[in-house]
Amino acid sequence: MESNQQRLARLKRQLVETKKQMDAVSADMDKERKRIRYEKLLRVGLIAEEAGILDSYNENDLYLLFVMNREYLCQHGKAAASGGFASMNNLG
C-alpha cells in the first residue's frame, strides 16, 4: 500500500509532467497563431503587389484608407469561391 508521502511524491511528478505537456501545447498553439497571422499578412502583401502599389504606396495614406474603409473592407473583402475577391466582381 502506498504511503501518503509516496502518493504525494507521485502526484507531484504527475503535476510536473502535466505542466510540461501543457507548456508544449501552449507553444504549439502560439506557433499556429503566428503562422496564421503571417499567412494573412502575406495575402495582404500579395494583394498590394497585384494592385501594382507594393513598391510605391504611402504607408500613412494606405493606413488611413484601410481605417476609413474598414467596415466596407470587412464586409466585402472575403475571397469568392472562384478564388477571386467578391468586391472585385462588382467592378464591371
Side-chain angles (χ1 to χ4, degrees):
M1 179 153 176
E2 186 177 46
S3 72
N4 284 341
Q5 287 180 338
Q6 291 172 329
R7 183 171 184 255
L8 181 60
R10 180 179 52 80
L11 290 174
K12 284 183 180 180
R13 284 191 305 272
Q14 285 178 339
L15 183 62
V16 168
E17 185 60 34
T18 300
K19 176 151 178 20
K20 286 180 186 178
Q21 291 172 352
M22 287 175 51
D23 289 346
V25 169
S26 179
D28 288 345
M29 289 172 60
D30 287 342
K31 286 179 189 177
E32 182 63 12
R33 275 191 290 272
K34 286 179 183 178
R35 185 194 65 76
I36 290 169
R37 180 174 183 263
Y38 289 134
E39 184 178 297
K40 289 176 182 180
L41 291 170
L42 181 60
R43 283 188 297 200
V44 171
L46 291 171
I47 291 168
E49 181 181 46
E50 189 70 25
I53 65 169
L54 184 63
D55 296 323
S56 61
Y57 68 92
N58 177 297
E59 290 180 20
N60 291 327
D61 290 344
L62 186 60
Y63 175 80
L64 287 173
L65 183 66
F66 283 163
V67 170
M68 292 171 58
N69 294 291
R70 178 182 297 145
E71 187 175 327
Y72 175 81
L73 293 169
C74 290
Q75 289 177 356
H76 296 95
K78 306 255 188 248
S82 65
F85 291 91
S87 61
M88 302 281 273
N89 295 332
N90 299 327
L91 294 177

